Amino acid sequence: MTALDAAWAERWVRTAAAEVTAHRDELTELDRLIGDGDHGVNMDRGFSAVVARLDDPEAPPRETVGQVLHLVAATLMSTVGGASGPLYGTAFLRASKVTDRAGLDAAGVVSLMEAAAEGIVTRGHAGPGDKTMVDAWQPAVEAAQRAEADGDPAQVLRAAATAASDGARATIPWVATKGRASYLGERSAGTEDPGARSTAILLAAAAAAAGPAS
Ligand code: ADP
Ligand code: MG
């Protein structure tokens, strides 16, 4: 099975940036319904800045997955703002610390996912069912752990991405108990959590960057 290298990480981030731009209005509309209507704009600003850093000829070369993810973390923290900037920044920072090597096997991808999810929970103190991005990350980690035995890092990502998307959709009927949406109480029911949706978009990009299923 092909290990995932720094070139994969860069493809992931560039694909994520394009997908975030494509879904910017959708994310903003979800956040308009149960938040303050800036999530798509926040994410698009952050990932556009990440791509600009990757394209900067002065930027140092990236030899490991961790170096790419560290660049993402630092850029998101300084550009995204809102609740999601520090949350995604911490996720990518934690993930960068467990991926500072040339290639990731299936276990390496599981470690990346676990570290990212732990970072979000440590930073935001949300648990499953609070209707936040944790409700996409948590099932994604569990699916990644189940898929690890298969030994294919791309398959681990595909399993995680599918679970994140299902997890995000499952938040629709829920009442939010963390984050800005919780201020709405019962009126937060009926809308997908924007951060869970953006998590699903980011993980779908990670799987797509690893190549099609064989
Ligand atoms: P803000 O809420 O500050 O406007 P964004 O709109 O960019 O920030 O992001 C909102 C998303 O952040 C929510 O949809 C939710 O998924 C996520 N979020 C908010 N608070 C938390 C938290 N404590 N833990 C995990 N995720 C959270
Ligand atoms: Mg918002």
Side-chain angles (χ1 to χ4, degrees):
M1 304 288 177
T2 316
L4 299 175
D5 57 9
W8 161 74
E10 288 213 20
R11 278 199 308 280
W12 170 15
V13 174
R14 289 177 187 280
T15 306
E19 289 298 311
V20 163
T21 300
H23 291 275
R24 180 185 55 207
D25 293 350
E26 176 198 342
L27 292 172
T28 288
E29 176 63 10
L30 293 176
D31 196 37
R32 191 184 65 74
L33 290 167
I34 58 169
D36 57 353
D38 62 359
H39 190 57
V41 174
N42 287 344
M43 294 293 288
D44 193 32
R45 186 191 317 113
F47 275 88
S48 299
V50 170
V51 169
R53 293 245 14 229
L54 289 175
D55 287 340
D56 180 356
E58 310 276 291
R62 279 82 49 181
E63 276 147 25
T64 68
V65 172
Q67 284 167 357
V68 176
L69 301 186
H70 192 275
L71 177 152
V72 175
T75 310
L76 293 184
M77 285 208 197
S78 61
T79 57
V80 173
S84 59
L87 289 164
Y88 277 129
T90 307
F92 278 95
L93 188 64
R94 295 282 186 102
S96 77
K97 292 191 194 304
V98 297
T99 54
D100 205 16
R101 53 184 184 273
L104 301 184
D105 59 8
V109 174
V110 173
S111 301
L112 185 168
M113 300 286 308
E114 289 171 342
E118 276 165 28
I120 286 164
V121 171
T122 304
R123 184 88 203 196
H125 305 288
D130 282 329
K131 189 163 177 149
T132 71
M133 60 174 70
V134 171
D135 293 307
W137 280 101
Q138 162 106 0
V141 168
E142 288 167 6
Q145 289 165 338
R146 284 194 298 274
E148 183 186 335
D150 188 47
D152 180 358
Q155 182 51 33
V156 172
L157 289 172
R158 284 191 287 271
T162 302
S165 175
D166 292 347
R169 230 168 307 128
T171 67
I172 293 174
W174 297 352
V175 171
T177 45
K178 272 273 188 302
R180 208 179 279 279
S182 66
Y183 308 159
L184 290 179
E186 298 287 331
R187 281 182 294 137
S188 62
T191 299
E192 188 168 1
D193 177 65
R197 178 77 184 111
S198 62
T199 295
I201 290 169
L202 297 186
L203 295 183
S214 52

